[in-house]
Amino acid sequence: MKEEGSKATPSVGVILGSASDLPKVRAVFETLDLFGASYETAVISAHRTPHMLAEYAESASRRGIKVIIGAAGLAAALPGALAALVDIPVIGLPLSGGPVNGVDALLSVADMPPGVPVAALGVDSAKNAALLALRILGLSDERIRLQLEKTREQAAKDVEAKAKVLREQGLPVWEP
């Protein structure tokens, strides 16, 4: 949660492989802020700054980080490299770009060797990355768990309202 002057210990680490990835991950920050989850961000390249990666990973758990979102494109080594160094959940957020528009990043994140688990999300699925991190936090944070429950219930109501619009337009709509 971004609060100037706040000393809240971050629960989520959001690591970007490049500062240019910021527009693609903005929904991570917006979603975490919406739930009041504390987080920190860093730009760390698995290939160009491996010493920073090792330092971040070594200190994350000790500093209170409970889950890490690693966002990267192209070879997307960042989430796997983080997962190799920590014992907390790592969510891999593959980002679009390059000649195959993120498919390489998706495959890199999804195809981890045994013993190095990374939760792989869809390309540019920033909001889902944040929601998965929140679900992990919700295992031990009742406030977040209840807020997630309300969000899920509201999403169901939104779908039901859309079905009502179809019915009002005279379309035959299945009724449960």
PDB file of all heavy atoms in Angstrom, residues 2 14 16 22 25-34 39-41 130:
ATOM      1  N   LYS A   2       0.626   2.161  -0.886  1.00  0.00           N
ATOM      2  CA  LYS A   2       1.436   3.355  -0.988  1.00  0.00           C
ATOM      3  C   LYS A   2       0.884   4.417  -0.053  1.00  0.00           C
ATOM      4  O   LYS A   2      -0.131   5.025  -0.327  1.00  0.00           O
ATOM      5  CB  LYS A   2       1.445   3.879  -2.416  1.00  0.00           C
ATOM      6  CG  LYS A   2       2.080   2.965  -3.404  1.00  0.00           C
ATOM      7  CD  LYS A   2       2.146   3.573  -4.773  1.00  0.00           C
ATOM      8  CE  LYS A   2       0.776   3.894  -5.292  1.00  0.00           C
ATOM      9  NZ  LYS A   2       0.713   4.402  -6.634  1.00  0.00           N
ATOM     10  N   VAL A  14       6.840  -6.881  -5.423  1.00  0.00           N
ATOM     11  CA  VAL A  14       6.539  -6.832  -6.851  1.00  0.00           C
ATOM     12  C   VAL A  14       7.834  -6.468  -7.562  1.00  0.00           C
ATOM     13  O   VAL A  14       8.322  -5.344  -7.442  1.00  0.00           O
ATOM     14  CB  VAL A  14       5.439  -5.804  -7.175  1.00  0.00           C
ATOM     15  CG1 VAL A  14       5.112  -5.825  -8.669  1.00  0.00           C
ATOM     16  CG2 VAL A  14       4.190  -6.065  -6.341  1.00  0.00           C
ATOM     17  N   LEU A  16       9.958  -6.119 -11.016  1.00  0.00           N
ATOM     18  CA  LEU A  16       9.879  -5.925 -12.452  1.00  0.00           C
ATOM     19  C   LEU A  16      11.247  -6.213 -13.059  1.00  0.00           C
ATOM     20  O   LEU A  16      12.263  -5.767 -12.534  1.00  0.00           O
ATOM     21  CB  LEU A  16       9.484  -4.484 -12.789  1.00  0.00           C
ATOM     22  CG  LEU A  16       8.283  -3.888 -12.069  1.00  0.00           C
ATOM     23  CD1 LEU A  16       8.060  -2.456 -12.505  1.00  0.00           C
ATOM     24  CD2 LEU A  16       7.056  -4.715 -12.320  1.00  0.00           C
ATOM     25  N   LEU A  22       6.508  -1.227 -16.345  1.00  0.00           N
ATOM     26  CA  LEU A  22       5.564  -0.592 -15.418  1.00  0.00           C
ATOM     27  C   LEU A  22       4.148  -0.439 -15.983  1.00  0.00           C
ATOM     28  O   LEU A  22       3.184  -0.796 -15.294  1.00  0.00           O
ATOM     29  CB  LEU A  22       6.104   0.760 -14.957  1.00  0.00           C
ATOM     30  CG  LEU A  22       5.286   1.476 -13.886  1.00  0.00           C
ATOM     31  CD1 LEU A  22       5.148   0.624 -12.632  1.00  0.00           C
ATOM     32  CD2 LEU A  22       5.919   2.809 -13.546  1.00  0.00           C
ATOM     33  N   VAL A  25       2.115  -3.656 -15.668  1.00  0.00           N
ATOM     34  CA  VAL A  25       1.839  -4.206 -14.338  1.00  0.00           C
ATOM     35  C   VAL A  25       1.067  -3.239 -13.444  1.00  0.00           C
ATOM     36  O   VAL A  25       0.795  -3.554 -12.294  1.00  0.00           O
ATOM     37  CB  VAL A  25       3.137  -4.675 -13.621  1.00  0.00           C
ATOM     38  CG1 VAL A  25       3.835  -5.744 -14.417  1.00  0.00           C
ATOM     39  CG2 VAL A  25       4.061  -3.518 -13.351  1.00  0.00           C
ATOM     40  N   ARG A  26       0.680  -2.104 -13.983  1.00  0.00           N
ATOM     41  CA  ARG A  26      -0.008  -1.099 -13.163  1.00  0.00           C
ATOM     42  C   ARG A  26      -1.218  -1.678 -12.428  1.00  0.00           C
ATOM     43  O   ARG A  26      -1.503  -1.334 -11.284  1.00  0.00           O
ATOM     44  CB  ARG A  26      -0.424   0.091 -14.018  1.00  0.00           C
ATOM     45  CG  ARG A  26      -0.928   1.231 -13.179  1.00  0.00           C
ATOM     46  CD  ARG A  26      -0.801   2.583 -13.811  1.00  0.00           C
ATOM     47  NE  ARG A  26       0.480   2.967 -14.337  1.00  0.00           N
ATOM     48  CZ  ARG A  26       1.499   3.444 -13.613  1.00  0.00           C
ATOM     49  NH1 ARG A  26       1.373   3.551 -12.316  1.00  0.00           N
ATOM     50  NH2 ARG A  26       2.616   3.812 -14.185  1.00  0.00           N
ATOM     51  N   ALA A  27      -1.934  -2.614 -13.047  1.00  0.00           N
ATOM     52  CA  ALA A  27      -3.110  -3.211 -12.400  1.00  0.00           C
ATOM     53  C   ALA A  27      -2.734  -3.999 -11.142  1.00  0.00           C
ATOM     54  O   ALA A  27      -3.565  -4.169 -10.256  1.00  0.00           O
ATOM     55  CB  ALA A  27      -3.862  -4.109 -13.376  1.00  0.00           C
ATOM     56  N   VAL A  28      -1.494  -4.465 -11.046  1.00  0.00           N
ATOM     57  CA  VAL A  28      -1.045  -5.116  -9.812  1.00  0.00           C
ATOM     58  C   VAL A  28      -1.142  -4.119  -8.667  1.00  0.00           C
ATOM     59  O   VAL A  28      -1.735  -4.400  -7.618  1.00  0.00           O
ATOM     60  CB  VAL A  28       0.407  -5.649  -9.936  1.00  0.00           C
ATOM     61  CG1 VAL A  28       0.957  -6.053  -8.570  1.00  0.00           C
ATOM     62  CG2 VAL A  28       0.493  -6.811 -10.901  1.00  0.00           C
ATOM     63  N   PHE A  29      -0.576  -2.949  -8.866  1.00  0.00           N
ATOM     64  CA  PHE A  29      -0.556  -1.934  -7.809  1.00  0.00           C
ATOM     65  C   PHE A  29      -1.962  -1.433  -7.494  1.00  0.00           C
ATOM     66  O   PHE A  29      -2.310  -1.264  -6.323  1.00  0.00           O
ATOM     67  CB  PHE A  29       0.342  -0.764  -8.212  1.00  0.00           C
ATOM     68  CG  PHE A  29       1.720  -1.197  -8.620  1.00  0.00           C
ATOM     69  CD1 PHE A  29       2.209  -0.900  -9.877  1.00  0.00           C
ATOM     70  CD2 PHE A  29       2.521  -1.933  -7.765  1.00  0.00           C
ATOM     71  CE1 PHE A  29       3.467  -1.301 -10.270  1.00  0.00           C
ATOM     72  CE2 PHE A  29       3.778  -2.352  -8.149  1.00  0.00           C
ATOM     73  CZ  PHE A  29       4.260  -2.038  -9.404  1.00  0.00           C
ATOM     74  N   GLU A  30      -2.763  -1.200  -8.532  1.00  0.00           N
ATOM     75  CA  GLU A  30      -4.126  -0.724  -8.315  1.00  0.00           C
ATOM     76  C   GLU A  30      -4.947  -1.729  -7.504  1.00  0.00           C
ATOM     77  O   GLU A  30      -5.694  -1.348  -6.606  1.00  0.00           O
ATOM     78  CB  GLU A  30      -4.798  -0.459  -9.662  1.00  0.00           C
ATOM     79  CG  GLU A  30      -4.189   0.713 -10.413  1.00  0.00           C
ATOM     80  CD  GLU A  30      -4.625   0.801 -11.865  1.00  0.00           C
ATOM     81  OE1 GLU A  30      -5.307  -0.130 -12.369  1.00  0.00           O
ATOM     82  OE2 GLU A  30      -4.264   1.800 -12.513  1.00  0.00           O
ATOM     83  N   THR A  31      -4.777  -3.015  -7.808  1.00  0.00           N
ATOM     84  CA  THR A  31      -5.545  -4.052  -7.106  1.00  0.00           C
ATOM     85  C   THR A  31      -5.066  -4.207  -5.669  1.00  0.00           C
ATOM     86  O   THR A  31      -5.877  -4.295  -4.740  1.00  0.00           O
ATOM     87  CB  THR A  31      -5.453  -5.383  -7.871  1.00  0.00           C
ATOM     88  OG1 THR A  31      -5.905  -5.172  -9.218  1.00  0.00           O
ATOM     89  CG2 THR A  31      -6.301  -6.457  -7.215  1.00  0.00           C
ATOM     90  N   LEU A  32      -3.757  -4.226  -5.467  1.00  0.00           N
ATOM     91  CA  LEU A  32      -3.234  -4.320  -4.100  1.00  0.00           C
ATOM     92  C   LEU A  32      -3.661  -3.109  -3.278  1.00  0.00           C
ATOM     93  O   LEU A  32      -4.034  -3.240  -2.107  1.00  0.00           O
ATOM     94  CB  LEU A  32      -1.712  -4.464  -4.119  1.00  0.00           C
ATOM     95  CG  LEU A  32      -1.166  -5.769  -4.706  1.00  0.00           C
ATOM     96  CD1 LEU A  32       0.359  -5.714  -4.808  1.00  0.00           C
ATOM     97  CD2 LEU A  32      -1.615  -6.980  -3.906  1.00  0.00           C
ATOM     98  N   ASP A  33      -3.631  -1.926  -3.894  1.00  0.00           N
ATOM     99  CA  ASP A  33      -4.082  -0.717  -3.195  1.00  0.00           C
ATOM    100  C   ASP A  33      -5.560  -0.804  -2.827  1.00  0.00           C
ATOM    101  O   ASP A  33      -5.961  -0.418  -1.732  1.00  0.00           O
ATOM    102  CB  ASP A  33      -3.856   0.534  -4.056  1.00  0.00           C
ATOM    103  CG  ASP A  33      -2.400   0.973  -4.111  1.00  0.00           C
ATOM    104  OD1 ASP A  33      -1.615   0.601  -3.226  1.00  0.00           O
ATOM    105  OD2 ASP A  33      -2.054   1.710  -5.065  1.00  0.00           O
ATOM    106  N   LEU A  34      -6.374  -1.319  -3.747  1.00  0.00           N
ATOM    107  CA  LEU A  34      -7.809  -1.451  -3.512  1.00  0.00           C
ATOM    108  C   LEU A  34      -8.093  -2.300  -2.269  1.00  0.00           C
ATOM    109  O   LEU A  34      -9.028  -2.023  -1.510  1.00  0.00           O
ATOM    110  CB  LEU A  34      -8.478  -2.079  -4.739  1.00  0.00           C
ATOM    111  CG  LEU A  34      -9.989  -2.218  -4.718  1.00  0.00           C
ATOM    112  CD1 LEU A  34     -10.654  -0.847  -4.700  1.00  0.00           C
ATOM    113  CD2 LEU A  34     -10.453  -3.012  -5.930  1.00  0.00           C
ATOM    114  N   TYR A  39       2.874  -3.430   0.013  1.00  0.00           N
ATOM    115  CA  TYR A  39       3.789  -4.005  -0.970  1.00  0.00           C
ATOM    116  C   TYR A  39       4.988  -3.090  -1.175  1.00  0.00           C
ATOM    117  O   TYR A  39       4.984  -1.928  -0.764  1.00  0.00           O
ATOM    118  CB  TYR A  39       3.085  -4.260  -2.305  1.00  0.00           C
ATOM    119  CG  TYR A  39       2.523  -3.028  -2.974  1.00  0.00           C
ATOM    120  CD1 TYR A  39       3.290  -2.279  -3.872  1.00  0.00           C
ATOM    121  CD2 TYR A  39       1.231  -2.606  -2.716  1.00  0.00           C
ATOM    122  CE1 TYR A  39       2.774  -1.157  -4.490  1.00  0.00           C
ATOM    123  CE2 TYR A  39       0.702  -1.484  -3.327  1.00  0.00           C
ATOM    124  CZ  TYR A  39       1.482  -0.759  -4.224  1.00  0.00           C
ATOM    125  OH  TYR A  39       0.961   0.352  -4.827  1.00  0.00           O
ATOM    126  N   GLU A  40       5.992  -3.659  -1.799  1.00  0.00           N
ATOM    127  CA  GLU A  40       7.149  -2.897  -2.218  1.00  0.00           C
ATOM    128  C   GLU A  40       7.454  -3.276  -3.658  1.00  0.00           C
ATOM    129  O   GLU A  40       7.014  -4.324  -4.130  1.00  0.00           O
ATOM    130  CB  GLU A  40       8.359  -3.195  -1.333  1.00  0.00           C
ATOM    131  CG  GLU A  40       8.877  -4.621  -1.456  1.00  0.00           C
ATOM    132  CD  GLU A  40      10.050  -4.918  -0.537  1.00  0.00           C
ATOM    133  OE1 GLU A  40      10.254  -4.175   0.452  1.00  0.00           O
ATOM    134  OE2 GLU A  40      10.762  -5.899  -0.811  1.00  0.00           O
ATOM    135  N   THR A  41       8.163  -2.416  -4.346  1.00  0.00           N
ATOM    136  CA  THR A  41       8.527  -2.698  -5.724  1.00  0.00           C
ATOM    137  C   THR A  41      10.034  -2.598  -5.888  1.00  0.00           C
ATOM    138  O   THR A  41      10.713  -1.913  -5.118  1.00  0.00           O
ATOM    139  CB  THR A  41       7.859  -1.703  -6.697  1.00  0.00           C
ATOM    140  OG1 THR A  41       8.300  -0.388  -6.384  1.00  0.00           O
ATOM    141  CG2 THR A  41       6.361  -1.778  -6.610  1.00  0.00           C
ATOM    142  N   ALA A 130      -2.164  -9.976  -8.839  1.00  0.00           N
ATOM    143  CA  ALA A 130      -2.457  -9.347  -7.551  1.00  0.00           C
ATOM    144  C   ALA A 130      -3.507 -10.131  -6.781  1.00  0.00           C
ATOM    145  O   ALA A 130      -3.374 -10.337  -5.563  1.00  0.00           O
ATOM    146  CB  ALA A 130      -2.918  -7.909  -7.763  1.00  0.00           C
TER     147      ALA A 130
END
